[in-house]
Amino acid sequence: MEGYDDHLERAMDETPEIEGSGDRFDVPDADVRQEGNVTVYENFQDTLDRLGRDEDRVLKFLQNELGTSAHIDESGRARLTGEFSQRRIEDAVDDYVEEFVLCPECGLPDTQLEREQGALLLRCEACGARSATSS
């Protein structure tokens, strides 16, 4: 006769692996370098692709967070005026993800930004939640 532990072990073996939101969504590490008084965010385009967001919106957020001006060059790199560490840029990108990508209800990144009556909303395609953003 099988015991509880045997049943539990068999159930665990037969349970499909489910990816958690932490494993499923990760933003590439910022590849930054200094060029005089400019910080060049080399893989900005990769970050945008992963976030699934408009480059102008993300760049504007980074400018506000870092208190600087910036533009996107012909190669798709973000050029930020001033010297910023990789960690500082990654922290700003993490703040963007928290505010404009991850669903506050279920934590998944399956979201879209929508304008409704002048307000910017985050709509989750996974759980259906809709929430207001700060901008």
Side-chain angles (χ1 to χ4, degrees), residues 17-50:
E17 291 292 321
I18 299 172
E19 282 190 42
S21 60
D23 294 339
R24 185 173 159 219
F25 187 76
D26 53 340
V27 179
D29 291 339
D31 177 12
V32 301
R33 66 181 172 79
Q34 293 306 129
E35 207 175 80
N37 189 34
V38 172
T39 300
V40 181
Y41 189 166
E42 294 283 349
N43 61 337
F44 184 63
Q45 207 59 52
D46 293 338
T47 301
L48 291 175
D49 292 345
R50 188 68 184 112

Side-chain angles (χ1 to χ4, degrees), residues 4 9 20 55-57 63 84:
Y4 172 80
E9 188 172 321
E55 67 183 24
D56 293 333
R57 185 177 299 280
Q63 289 178 84
F84 302 99

Side-chain angles (χ1 to χ4, degrees), residues 4-16:
Y4 172 80
D5 288 337
D6 296 323
H7 284 289
L8 180 61
E9 188 172 321
R10 189 172 72 236
M12 293 301 287
D13 289 342
E14 293 174 9
T15 302

Side-chain angles (χ1 to χ4, degrees), residues 77-135:
R77 298 174 297 207
R79 299 179 67 83
L80 306 152
T81 304
E83 293 186 29
F84 302 99
S85 68
Q86 175 183 356
R87 180 76 248 148
R88 182 120 184 259
I89 290 174
E90 287 175 351
D91 286 346
V93 170
D94 289 346
D95 289 345
Y96 183 87
V97 167
E98 193 68 34
E99 179 72 26
F100 297 103
V101 178
L102 296 180
C103 173
E105 296 298 318
C106 70
L108 294 176
D110 306 325
T111 60
Q112 296 296 321
L113 289 171
E114 297 178 343
R115 279 247 177 243
E116 188 172 294
Q117 298 175 349
L120 189 61
L121 300 176
L122 194 64
R123 181 179 50 81
C124 182
E125 296 172 348
C127 75
R130 293 164 49 110
S131 55
T133 63
S134 64
S135 317

